[in-house]
Amino acid sequence: MIIDFHTHTFPDKIAEKTIAHLTRVGGIKPYRDGTLGSLKESMRRAGVDISVVLPVATNPRQEKTINQLSAKLSGKEGIIFAGAIHPDCENVEETLDYIKNAGLFGIKLHPDYQGVEFDDPRYLKIISETAKRDLIVVTHAGVDVAFRDHVHCTPDMILRVLDRLGSEIENKLVLAHLGGYELPDEALKKLVGKPVYMDTAAVLKLYPEKCREIIARHGTDKILFATDSPWDSQSDYIKIIKGFGFTPEQEEQIFCKNAQGLLRQEVI
């Protein structure tokens, strides 16, 4: 089984406009058109069994609509959705209860698109309340191509969150982009070995040898295969992981076992 733990889709009616905007501001070219149908076609071609879609609420008004749609679509045709919450949410507990009761496995935070630094008290509350409900927190980590002038989630910020919340969030936090997009040396120095998961989204082609080092040193039991589709190729990423020379058992951890443990009943 292969599980892609980090993908994005957009409703058909806004996908073209959204992808065009993100392409323009980020200077990156997508591999797919950003629709759910396109993701399913990518999965079929690449041999991916399950894709995890990570929606982001860029304002509090979006939360209800996103979470209702995620609950409606999750668990069908190999697609699993996370929930969404914004740091300015007025009803954190109520929103997280809805996500929990809807059967979603956790939430996605994006400090850059939400305009908040990762160690902000608002995030600390959300992360703590999410962990109390035995849900998973996935966060963008490192540079975002559309916000290069200010990094909202640095390794130091992550360390402060880990220090503040301690055992409360051990192994319930997933750091996207192997702990820091375009910050591999800092991730190696400061985050490797911490009680967090890391996903491989969007970085395997940027600095493959450094990625292999992070994976090996952090431990394949805490790494999640991920692509950031539609921004990168699921087929290409599978080939890269298989070319790293890990054992079949280690590859199985990366491709599915670790994700199965986090997604639990969502995955057979």
Side-chain angles (χ1 to χ4, degrees):
M1 176 179 283
I2 295 179
I3 300 172
D4 186 342
F5 203 85
H6 187 143
T7 71
H8 300 284
T9 64
F10 308 97
D12 289 0
K13 63 182 180 180
I14 66 167
E16 183 177 1
K17 181 179 180 181
T18 303
I19 288 291
H21 171 71
L22 294 173
T23 298
R24 184 173 62 255
V25 299
I28 51 176
K29 184 179 179 180
Y31 280 71
R32 293 280 170 174
D33 66 13
T35 63
L36 186 57
S38 178
L39 175 60
K40 291 176 181 177
E41 173 62 15
S42 173
M43 292 167 63
R44 185 187 68 79
R45 289 179 177 272
V48 172
D49 298 281
I50 293 170
S51 285
V52 178
V53 178
L54 304 174
V56 176
T58 56
N59 65 67
R61 299 183 301 277
Q62 295 176 338
E63 294 171 344
K64 184 176 180 180
T65 300
I66 290 174
N67 290 329
Q68 287 178 340
L69 184 60
S70 294
K72 178 181 178 181
L73 297 175
S74 191
K76 299 178 180 178
E77 299 182 76
I79 306 294
I80 293 175
F81 279 76
I85 190 169
H86 190 272
D88 291 330
C89 176
E90 295 182 356
N91 303 293
V92 171
E93 292 87 352
E94 181 180 327
T95 300
L96 292 173
D97 283 342
Y98 178 88
I99 290 169
K100 175 75 172 181
N101 294 333
L104 302 176
F105 74 93
I107 61 169
K108 169 67 185 293
L109 302 176
H110 201 308
D112 297 285
Y113 280 94
Q114 294 178 326
V116 175
E117 295 190 343
F118 189 60
D119 55 352
D120 184 279
R122 288 167 290 177
Y123 269 156
L124 286 168
K125 178 180 179 179
I126 288 171
I127 295 167
S128 175
E129 292 295 333
T130 302
K132 288 177 183 177
R133 288 159 176 79
D134 203 24
L135 297 171
I136 302 302
V137 176
V138 185
T139 184
H140 172 89
V143 176
D144 186 273
V145 292
F147 299 91
R148 291 187 177 277
D149 59 328
H150 183 85
V151 180
H152 290 78
C153 185
T154 66
D156 283 332
M157 293 176 192
I158 294 167
L159 289 178
R160 285 194 285 271
V161 171
L162 293 175
D163 183 64
R164 178 72 178 272
L165 297 180
S167 61
E168 184 179 352
I169 60 165
E170 281 189 8
N171 301 319
K172 292 178 180 171
L173 178 62
V174 177
L175 306 177
H177 317 301
L178 288 177
Y181 187 85
E182 294 188 356
L183 300 175
D185 292 324
E186 279 196 65
L188 270 167
K189 180 180 179 180
K190 298 177 180 179
L191 299 176
V192 160
K194 299 298 181 183
V196 296
Y197 286 84
M198 297 183 182
D199 81 31
T200 65
V203 293
L204 293 184
K205 293 178 182 177
L206 293 181
Y207 29 80
E209 290 305 315
K210 193 72 71 172
C211 289
R212 192 197 182 285
E213 184 180 0
I214 292 172
I215 293 169
R217 288 176 53 184
H218 192 59
T220 55
D221 61 327
K222 290 291 188 293
I223 301 294
L224 303 161
F225 174 74
T227 65
D228 217 355
S229 177
W231 303 109
D232 226 317
S233 163
Q234 291 183 314
S235 296
D236 289 352
Y237 268 45
I238 291 170
K239 292 176 183 176
I240 292 171
I241 291 292
K242 289 185 175 181
F244 277 161
F246 293 116
T247 68
E249 293 77 13
Q250 290 172 320
E251 286 186 2
E252 186 178 33
Q253 288 178 321
I254 295 169
F255 280 127
C256 68
K257 287 296 185 182
N258 300 332
Q260 286 174 317
L262 294 179
L263 298 170
R264 299 172 193 157
Q265 74 274 11
E266 297 286 344
V267 179
I268 298 175

